[in-house]
Amino acid sequence: MADRRHALDRIDTTVAHPARRYNYLLGGKDNFAADRASAEAIEAAMPTIRLAALENRAFLQRAVQFLAERGIRQFLDIGTGIPSANNTHEVAQRIDPAARIVYVDNDPIVLTHARALLTSTSEGTTAYIDADLREPQSILDDPELQATLDFTRPMAVMLVAVLHFIRDDEDPQGIVDTLIDALPAGSYVVASHSTWEYLPSEAIEQLEAANPDGRFRARTGEQLEKLFSRLDLIEPGVQSVSQWWSEQATQPRPPIEDVAFNAIVGQVR
């Protein structure tokens, strides 16, 4: 209870938080006025942003299913966000109830909801770590993570819709490399990342105006691929989230211009 009170004391409702803004775009209710205002400023520049959020979420679910069907039974989901339907552990444990999942986020509201709602099957395990992707080694060294996941066996690291909150001066390449270095051969990394390469210049100008602190950093598909150049990318390599494993998705698929998210799935050599 003391940990929960301490976490809730950290909430600043006057500043938009990515997890709460994403929750609003997905139609959730766990957000504040600052989150909604931030989301609506983005929506004014990119009217399809809610579709993009939904497609990104659906990509996560298809990617987890894809890997679980190929024998992956351990998942480290970093930047998980506020729980909604078909979370990583639910998708994985439908395929194998013994799957083990660790969620990581740095928003106290996510922490509270995750501990209340992310319940595992009796055969598997679901854990939550209050940590920040900007400090990847602290995630890897966390005792709960070490007790839940076996780093001698392949696993999947999920970096879905989170790397675009890492600025260039925060060493995104070093963060990715630290995580990859910790993974045994045969493991996978799943990532999605916002891109502005399909948007008209006037929309980009509006999005930049809605990002005054530079906290959000869109990257091209080429830049995303470079971050994961050490991995063997699963065909077809960098792909729109709306098109990745598209035969398993609701049809018809939206155009990539309306989604503006790229994705990769790569395997550790």
Side-chain angles (χ1 to χ4, degrees):
M1 182 64 72
D3 287 345
R4 180 179 177 182
R5 284 198 300 268
H6 176 69
L8 293 176
D9 286 344
R10 289 167 29 214
I11 297 174
D12 184 350
T13 63
T14 67
V15 177
H17 189 281
R20 301 194 301 263
R21 181 171 56 214
Y22 193 51
N23 172 262
Y24 175 65
L25 291 171
L26 289 171
K29 301 183 183 302
D30 298 298
N31 47 74
F32 298 101
D35 309 307
R36 296 189 287 274
S38 176
E40 287 163 4
I42 296 170
E43 189 171 22
M46 184 182 172
T48 59
I49 186 61
R50 292 176 189 267
L51 171 65
L54 291 168
E55 284 293 324
N56 191 73
R57 182 74 183 173
F59 159 72
L60 178 147
Q61 294 157 1
R62 296 198 303 275
V64 172
Q65 180 181 342
F66 176 87
L67 296 179
E69 288 180 351
R70 284 152 182 77
I72 296 298
R73 297 294 180 262
Q74 304 186 104
F75 294 83
L76 174 57
D77 187 336
I78 303 176
T80 181
I82 294 169
S84 60
N86 291 315
N87 299 285
T88 296
H89 76 284
E90 293 168 312
V91 177
Q93 289 179 348
R94 278 200 295 267
I95 294 169
D96 186 344
R100 305 172 74 84
I101 294 87
V102 175
Y103 291 103
V104 181
D105 210 291
N106 68 343
D107 180 14
I109 286 183
V110 175
L111 169 66
T112 301
H113 282 274
R115 287 181 172 164
L117 299 175
L118 298 182
T119 55
S120 174
T121 61
S122 57
E123 302 94 330
T125 301
T126 301
Y128 180 86
I129 297 173
D130 184 13
D132 196 313
L133 178 58
R134 295 174 189 82
E135 299 177 357
Q137 196 60 51
S138 68
I139 296 173
L140 296 168
D141 291 341
D142 187 277
E144 192 164 10
L145 173 69
Q146 293 290 330
T148 305
L149 303 183
D150 179 357
F151 278 79
T152 68
R153 296 173 53 235
M155 65 183 68
V157 172
M158 313 296 294
L159 296 170
V160 176
V162 65
L163 282 168
H164 44 233
F165 298 113
I166 305 297
R167 299 190 308 258
D168 290 342
D169 63 354
E170 293 173 321
D171 192 17
Q173 188 68 69
I175 291 169
V176 168
D177 287 345
T178 297
L179 294 171
I180 292 174
D181 285 341
L183 300 176
S187 295
Y188 291 85
V189 179
V190 174
S192 69
H193 200 298
S194 183
T195 181
W196 291 348
E197 58 194 318
Y198 308 122
L199 301 180
S201 57
E202 55 269 26
I204 294 173
E205 290 175 6
Q206 287 181 273
L207 288 167
E208 288 175 341
N211 183 40
D213 61 357
R215 170 49 57 203
F216 187 87
R217 173 68 168 91
R219 294 182 174 92
T220 66
E222 183 178 351
Q223 290 170 321
L224 177 62
E225 184 172 7
K226 184 178 178 181
L227 282 173
F228 296 95
S229 61
R230 294 172 57 193
L231 302 179
D232 293 328
L233 297 190
I234 303 302
E235 290 294 334
V238 176
Q239 180 69 277
S240 169
V241 295
S242 71
Q243 299 301 314
W244 196 88
W245 213 23
S246 59
E247 66 276 8
Q248 300 293 325
T250 303
Q251 303 296 326
R253 299 278 70 223
I256 60 176
E257 294 82 3
D258 288 350
V259 176
F261 267 88
N262 285 321
I264 64 100
V265 177
Q267 189 171 32
V268 178
R269 303 182 180 111

